[in-house]
Amino acid sequence: MSKKKPLILVTNDDGITAPGIRALIEVMNSIGDVYVVAPDAPQSGMGHAITLNDTLYCDSITVAKKEPQIEYSCSGTPVDCVKIAVNEILKRKPDLCVSGINHGSNSSINVIYSGTMSAAVEAGTQGIPSIGFSLLDYSIDADFEASKKFVKKIVKECLKNKLPKGVVLNVNIPKLSAKEIKGIKVCRQADAHWEEKFDKRTNPVGRDYYWLSGEFVNEDKGQDTDEWALANGYVSVVPVQFDLTAHHAIKEINTWDI
Amino acid sequence: MSKKKPLILVTNDDGITAPGIRALIEVMNSIGDVYVVAPDAPQSGMGHAITLNDTLYCDSITVAKKEPQIEYSCSGTPVDCVKIAVNEILKRKPDLCVSGINHGSNSSINVIYSGTMSAAVEAGTQGIPSIGFSLLDYSIDADFEASKKFVKKIVKECLKNKLPKGVVLNVNIPKLSAKEIKGIKVCRQADAHWEEKFDKRTNPVGRDYYWLSGEFVNEDKGQDTDEWALANGYVSVVPVQFDLTAHHAIKEINTWDI
């Protein structure tokens, strides 16, 4: 049993043909038996959305003919992909779920908006060791060479050491060459947020509409945060939990007159 | 200043005409100056999704003629509604954001799928005291009478005591009369998850598709959980945080060879 290759589920939120997931599949093929179940179109910013009031398609496809992985293209969100993979596509629970490599950062508060990380979290809720990977480069032509090296290292250690119960990993990689990257830092999520700036326009029939845009504001000066690590040339690894209880606040709210 | 009425933002995920948000508006009108910015259609299960690649409409509307609240109907997700309300609609940062009353439970792990709770969390990330309310009754004809009493009590205490930084409240109300409800319990999120059961069908042109459905599995026997409180006739209040860092896991992962 111990010599069996691990069964690895790969997904993402940029869509099944994105260069980032292709890089991730390449690395995973060197480690285990790979199933890909990923969105048929970009799903960035979908957070933990699921499809409740619509149908889901999930079709077997071949993206790369000579590669060993088995691939399915799904009409749903990243979280839908994980649910349908685990319950309909895979013969057994996978040994690992990896999501990404995302084109763009999912550090700090971005973890809650990220379809990439929500897919990893969903797998975590189902008891599957799980990691989301993101490269700090939004470009479709992003260079994933350095990322591949760090993805392999972290995945191998994860398979060897296991993850604590209820914890998945949020890995962000700076836009640097492998030589320039100083190493890997285990971090906490920086206390940052988005300040929105809506772009208000008028459509051709005179109705106002908006484009959402915003500015990322990080006032957290800690040197133990993911933002600090990334700004200083390190890969950041944040252990993420889906028990959202603010345990420290229970005592305080128990003093309320309710 | 202290006698000024609080400015309250109301939103939800069932849509601006849902009976649940109407009940919430009624209670908020008795406490403060109310702005409603809510989705123009149901957005259940949208989690923390935001609209990145599409336009957003946000139109002033009148749902109830003789009522004092000001209302806007938004084409986006619950999180979009909060962002556009705070940055485009409201003249100043609101003193409170309330979301709901959701038709159906958002207890335990449902917090991560819930548009209702994601709206509350989004307000929290922007430094706004925030509470999501849900009634354990999915019916459109759900009876919100008992809920109104508990919503008022909790909101008044929240305005008086303030919330700890980085914490919002997830309030779930059992489907019982006010007399039957035993009280309010501050709880932790139960360690539960969903086991999916996809319903596979074939469309009229022969292509397979799926409906997502599932079963809620709670193996957490703790008597300090939201599930326990609700099953035993109490309103559950879970303090929820959006720092997702599993702080306890940092030490363990630092022992990995990475």
Side-chain angles (χ1 to χ4, degrees):
Chain A
M1 270 304 275
S2 65
K3 290 204 176 165
K4 251 193 171 173
K5 275 183 165 183
L7 179 62
I8 302 174
L9 170 64
V10 180
T11 192
N12 77 341
D13 77 352
D14 290 318
I16 196 161
T17 60
I21 197 172
R22 296 291 124 195
L24 188 54
I25 293 165
E26 183 190 326
V27 180
M28 293 307 114
N29 276 334
S30 74
I31 296 174
D33 292 324
V34 177
Y35 277 73
V36 181
V37 182
D40 61 10
Q43 294 271 348
S44 295
M46 282 306 278
H48 216 95
I50 52 174
T51 302
L52 290 177
N53 291 306
D54 206 351
T55 56
L56 284 171
Y57 289 95
C58 191
D59 299 316
S60 172
I61 63 162
T62 303
V63 177
K65 271 194 182 163
K66 290 181 184 166
E67 295 177 8
Q69 73 277 3
I70 293 167
E71 304 203 39
Y72 289 80
S73 171
C74 176
S75 62
T77 67
V79 172
D80 290 332
C81 288
V82 171
K83 286 183 181 289
I84 210 162
V86 172
N87 292 280
E88 288 291 318
I89 310 294
L90 299 177
K91 295 245 161 42
R92 65 174 180 89
K93 192 184 262 200
D95 300 300
L96 181 74
C97 172
V98 288
S99 181
I101 303 169
N102 193 62
H103 293 241
S105 172
N106 281 318
S107 59
S108 177
I109 194 67
N110 297 302
V111 67
I112 66 172
Y113 303 101
S114 162
T116 302
M117 277 310 300
S118 291
V121 166
E122 176 61 28
T125 69
Q126 302 199 26
I128 301 160
S130 188
I131 312 174
F133 293 99
S134 307
L135 171 63
L136 272 63
D137 187 347
Y138 284 95
S139 165
I140 188 76
D141 301 320
D143 179 358
F144 289 97
E145 278 315 305
S147 299
K148 285 190 229 170
K149 177 185 152 190
F150 289 98
V151 166
K152 190 161 188 170
K153 196 166 189 177
I154 291 165
V155 163
K156 286 199 149 186
E157 280 297 302
C158 178
L159 287 167
K160 196 173 87 186
N161 296 289
K162 312 292 179 205
L163 280 167
K165 184 180 183 294
V167 172
V168 303
L169 298 184
N170 181 15
V171 177
N172 282 271
I173 301 160
K175 187 184 170 180
L176 296 170
S177 70
K179 271 189 184 173
E180 290 168 318
I181 293 176
K182 289 186 194 151
I184 297 172
K185 278 217 186 287
V186 186
C187 311
R188 65 174 173 86
Q189 172 186 323
D191 179 14
H193 67 282
W194 283 89
E195 287 186 0
E196 259 57 53
K197 293 194 163 64
F198 284 88
D199 184 349
K200 190 175 181 178
R201 302 183 184 187
T202 306
N203 78 5
V205 293
R207 186 174 172 203
D208 289 338
Y209 68 94
Y210 300 87
W211 287 105
L212 172 61
S213 72
E215 195 186 336
F216 182 68
V217 180
N218 178 24
E219 289 175 338
D220 189 334
K221 303 288 179 222
Q223 300 200 353
D224 55 348
T225 71
D226 50 2
E227 291 302 325
W228 186 92
L230 292 161
N232 286 275
Y234 293 92
V235 172
S236 68
V237 176
V238 176
V240 164
Q241 62 192 1
F242 38 87
D243 172 6
L244 306 191
T245 312
H247 289 277
H248 66 280
I250 289 178
K251 200 176 164 187
E252 180 171 337
I253 294 162
N254 262 322
T255 67
W256 292 12
D257 182 26
I258 50 177
Chain B
M1 271 300 276
S2 65
K3 288 203 175 165
K4 250 192 171 175
K5 274 182 166 185
L7 178 63
I8 303 174
L9 170 63
V10 180
T11 191
N12 76 342
D13 78 352
D14 291 318
I16 196 161
T17 59
I21 196 171
R22 296 291 123 195
L24 189 54
I25 293 165
E26 181 189 327
V27 179
M28 292 308 113
N29 277 334
S30 74
I31 295 173
D33 291 324
V34 176
Y35 277 73
V36 181
V37 182
D40 60 10
Q43 293 272 351
S44 294
M46 281 306 277
H48 215 94
I50 52 175
T51 302
L52 290 178
N53 292 304
D54 207 350
T55 55
L56 284 171
Y57 289 95
C58 190
D59 299 315
S60 172
I61 64 164
T62 303
V63 177
K65 272 194 184 167
K66 290 182 184 165
E67 295 177 8
Q69 73 276 3
I70 293 167
E71 304 203 39
Y72 288 81
S73 170
C74 176
S75 63
T77 66
V79 172
D80 291 331
C81 289
V82 171
K83 286 183 182 289
I84 211 163
V86 172
N87 292 281
E88 289 288 321
I89 309 296
L90 299 177
K91 295 245 163 41
R92 65 175 180 90
K93 192 183 263 200
D95 301 299
L96 180 74
C97 172
V98 288
S99 181
I101 303 171
N102 192 62
H103 292 242
S105 172
N106 281 318
S107 60
S108 177
I109 195 67
N110 297 303
V111 67
I112 67 172
Y113 304 99
S114 161
T116 302
M117 276 310 299
S118 291
V121 166
E122 177 61 29
T125 70
Q126 302 198 27
I128 301 160
S130 187
I131 313 172
F133 293 99
S134 306
L135 172 63
L136 272 63
D137 186 347
Y138 285 95
S139 165
I140 188 74
D141 301 319
D143 179 357
F144 289 96
E145 278 314 307
S147 298
K148 286 190 229 170
K149 176 185 153 191
F150 289 97
V151 166
K152 188 161 190 170
K153 195 167 190 177
I154 290 165
V155 164
K156 287 200 148 184
E157 279 298 303
C158 179
L159 288 167
K160 195 173 85 187
N161 296 288
K162 313 293 177 204
L163 279 168
K165 183 179 183 296
V167 172
V168 304
L169 298 183
N170 182 15
V171 176
N172 282 271
I173 301 159
K175 187 183 168 180
L176 296 170
S177 70
K179 269 191 185 174
E180 289 167 317
I181 293 176
K182 288 184 195 154
I184 298 172
K185 277 215 186 288
V186 187
C187 310
R188 67 175 172 86
Q189 173 187 325
D191 179 13
H193 66 281
W194 283 90
E195 289 186 0
E196 259 58 51
K197 292 195 166 62
F198 284 88
D199 184 349
K200 190 175 181 178
R201 302 183 183 187
T202 305
N203 79 5
V205 293
R207 186 173 171 204
D208 289 338
Y209 68 94
Y210 300 87
W211 287 105
L212 172 62
S213 71
E215 195 186 334
F216 182 69
V217 180
N218 179 23
E219 288 174 338
D220 189 335
K221 303 289 179 221
Q223 300 199 353
D224 56 347
T225 71
D226 49 2
E227 291 301 324
W228 187 92
L230 291 161
N232 286 275
Y234 293 91
V235 172
S236 68
V237 176
V238 176
V240 164
Q241 61 191 1
F242 39 86
D243 173 6
L244 306 191
T245 313
H247 290 275
H248 66 281
I250 289 179
K251 200 175 165 187
E252 182 171 337
I253 294 163
N254 263 323
T255 66
W256 291 13
D257 181 24
I258 50 176

